[in-house]
Amino acid sequence: MRHFNNPVIKIGAHETGKPYFSHTKHQHLHFSQNIMQDNNSLNAYEVHKFMSKMDILVAFTGHFDHQMITILLKNIRGKLKTTSPEMAIEQKVYCILVECVENVSKYSSGNEDSSRNGMFMLCKSDTKYTVITGNPMLNKDIPSLKAKLENVSKMSREELKQLYRQQIMSERETENNAGLGIIDIALKSGNQFHYNFKPLTETTSFYHFQTEIEINS
Amino acid sequence: MNALIIEKTEDSPGVKFDPATAQLSLSGESRPENAGKFYNPLLEWITQFESILFWRKEQKMDQKPLVFAFRLDYFNSTSAKYIMDIILTLNKLADKGYPIRVEWYYDERDEDMLDAGKEFAEMVQIKFDFLPN
C-alpha cells in the first residue's frame, strides 16, 4: 500500500550544505537525517531506498546540454515504451517531459557557472506519472514566468485551447516563444501542475516545477 | 530547383522536398536545438517553389497538386510554431489558386497527434487528409 497520494517533493540544501529531501504532507517521509553517513557523504542505501519509495524512474542533475538531454530523452522514451502498454499515456508523458526539460534550459541561469544547470525526475506510481524539474533562475525573470503560470493554471480546457491557437498564430517574440510549452503541459496534464520559487541569493531563486499525468484518466 | 533532402537525426526530422513530383515530406522527431536554423531553409524552399508552380501554370502544364506529408512521431512546442508557419505558407499558395493538399499521418494509439493535426487544419483553408500509419 502506498503511504501518500499526492506528494509534493522538495529537494534542496540546508544552510550547512547538506542536501535534503522532504515530503510536505507526511513528516515520517523525512530522509534528511538518514540519507547522510557519519563521514558527511551520501548513504547509497538510503538514497536507493528513497528513490524506490518515491517511485523515481529517472533522476538527473547537472548541466542541461542539448546533446546530453537528447541521449537521456531517447533512453527514457525507450523505457516508457516498455513500462506502459498505453501509448497515449506514454506519448503524453514524453511530450510533457520534453517541454519541462526544455524549460529548465530556457530559464536556468544564475551566474556563468550555473547557467543551464538544473535537475529533473520522472516518477511512476500505480496511478500516475510525475515529472519534476528544478533549476536556479534570476529573480528578475520570475514575475513574468509567475504571471504566465498563474494565468494558465486558472484556465479551463477550452480556454487553454483558445490561448494555444492565439499563441501559435502570434508573431514570434523570441526563439523559444515562451508560453506555448506551458500551455501544452497544462493541456496534456489536465492542468495538474505545482510550482514554487525558493530564494537562493539576492538575485537568484530555485524554481521547482512539478506536473502529474494520471494513468487511467 | 534542387530537391531538399535532409537525413533525420535523433532530434530533427527527415526532410524530402522533391520539386519534380511536388511531393514534400517531414518525418520523425522534431525538437532541434535551434529550430529557426532548421526550419527557416524549409520555409524558404517552399516560398521559392512558388515560381515553379507559377511557371507550370503559365505553360498550361499538367499541374500536379503539391502534397505535403507530415509523418511526425513527435514535435515540441517550438517546432509546432514552425509547423504552423509551413502550413500558413502553403495556405498562401492555395489562396493564389495552386492545388495544395496536406497529409497528416498519425499512430492510431496517439490521439494527441491526430488532435494536433486537426488543430492546424482548423486554422487554414487547405484540405487535410488524416491517415493512420
Side-chain angles (χ1 to χ4, degrees):
Chain A
M1 208 190 93
R2 295 174 54 78
H3 302 286
F4 44 84
N5 294 317
N6 198 18
V8 174
I9 305 164
K10 285 185 175 174
I11 294 185
H14 291 297
E15 275 164 17
T16 56
K18 279 191 176 187
Y20 72 78
F21 300 95
S22 72
H23 191 277
T24 50
K25 286 192 179 165
H26 301 270
Q27 290 308 311
H28 65 271
L29 274 171
H30 261 275
F31 287 83
S32 47
Q33 300 308 312
N34 321 347
I35 215 150
M36 302 302 295
Q37 294 183 135
D38 292 341
N39 61 1
N40 215 16
S41 65
L42 279 169
N43 181 321
Y45 174 63
E46 292 297 336
V47 172
H48 171 73
K49 213 163 76 179
F50 170 80
M51 289 181 77
S52 310
K53 204 157 193 165
M54 298 312 286
D55 302 312
I56 298 171
L57 285 181
V58 189
F60 170 83
T61 179
H63 186 70
F64 275 50
D65 164 74
H66 185 83
Q67 264 73 36
M68 164 70 105
I69 292 305
T70 301
I71 293 165
L72 275 169
L73 287 171
K74 192 187 168 199
N75 181 291
I76 293 169
R77 195 163 203 204
K79 211 170 221 170
L80 282 171
K81 277 183 183 152
T82 55
T83 58
S84 171
E86 291 283 330
M87 175 170 178
I89 292 294
E90 160 225 307
Q91 186 77 354
K92 263 191 185 51
V93 171
Y94 183 72
C95 291
I96 289 175
L97 182 68
V98 175
E99 294 300 331
C100 289
V101 165
E102 289 180 347
N103 269 339
V104 173
S105 341
K106 184 156 69 188
Y107 287 109
S108 180
S109 70
N111 51 48
E112 291 284 308
D113 298 332
S114 66
S115 178
R116 284 191 156 204
N117 262 335
M119 61 79 66
F120 81 82
M121 283 200 289
L122 174 65
C123 313
K124 189 195 180 209
S125 73
D126 296 338
T127 57
K128 67 180 175 227
Y129 281 94
T130 306
V131 175
I132 299 167
T133 59
N135 58 273
M137 65 181 285
L138 293 172
N139 288 341
K140 69 173 176 62
D141 296 332
I142 294 177
S144 65
L145 172 62
K146 218 171 171 176
K148 224 171 266 168
L149 291 165
E150 271 170 23
N151 182 36
V152 164
S153 70
K154 283 182 288 201
M155 288 188 169
S156 67
R157 190 170 174 80
E158 230 7 84
E159 287 170 323
L160 285 168
K161 282 187 140 183
Q162 204 56 43
L163 183 66
Y164 187 92
R165 284 179 202 133
Q166 201 182 312
Q167 288 286 327
I168 205 165
M169 293 295 272
S170 69
E171 288 295 313
R172 202 174 262 107
E173 288 165 37
T174 61
E175 163 66 20
N176 289 316
N177 81 84
L180 217 48
I182 185 68
I183 304 167
D184 209 24
I185 293 170
L187 274 169
K188 292 200 166 86
S189 68
N191 228 335
Q192 294 286 315
F193 65 83
H194 320 274
Y195 57 90
N196 61 59
F197 300 92
K198 179 186 157 62
L200 292 176
T201 67
E202 266 180 34
T203 53
T204 59
S205 294
F206 196 81
Y207 169 38
H208 166 113
F209 183 88
Q210 175 170 342
T211 181
E212 278 130 35
I213 307 100
E214 291 189 12
I215 291 175
N216 294 313
S217 62
Chain B
M1 188 168 186
N2 289 329
L4 181 64
I5 313 274
I6 302 170
E7 289 298 320
K8 73 171 177 187
T9 68
E10 270 165 13
D11 63 4
S12 62
V15 178
K16 210 174 161 197
F17 289 2
D18 183 355
T21 59
Q23 304 264 335
L24 284 63
S25 76
L26 200 56
S27 58
E29 185 152 341
S30 182
R31 48 169 297 274
E33 185 166 17
N34 187 334
K37 203 173 153 194
F38 182 83
Y39 280 100
N40 285 329
L42 274 57
L43 288 160
E44 252 168 62
W45 193 97
I46 299 168
T47 307
Q48 281 171 17
F49 188 59
E50 186 185 350
S51 60
I52 304 262
L53 292 172
F54 180 78
W55 183 75
R56 282 187 186 151
K57 200 174 166 185
E58 288 294 290
Q59 301 292 311
K60 305 230 182 311
M61 286 168 72
D62 238 5
Q63 190 78 292
K64 290 186 200 107
L66 187 162
V67 180
F68 199 111
F70 288 96
R71 297 172 178 274
L72 296 165
D73 301 322
Y74 166 79
F75 57 87
N76 67 357
S77 62
T78 310
S79 302
K81 206 149 164 75
Y82 283 98
I83 291 169
M84 186 78 249
D85 287 343
I86 289 178
I87 293 168
L88 289 173
T89 308
L90 295 173
N91 200 48
K92 269 187 209 157
L93 294 177
D95 281 347
K96 290 177 182 170
Y98 301 110
I100 312 267
R101 194 158 53 82
V102 168
E103 291 178 349
W104 188 269
Y105 291 86
Y106 64 98
D107 187 309
E108 275 178 294
R109 296 164 301 169
D110 186 3
E111 290 166 27
D112 286 339
M113 186 53 87
L114 176 60
D115 286 348
K118 285 183 175 168
E119 278 290 318
F120 285 124
E122 264 189 43
M123 286 183 267
V124 288
Q125 317 297 322
I126 326 167
K127 185 180 181 310
F128 270 61
D129 288 325
F130 296 99
L131 306 162
N133 276 336

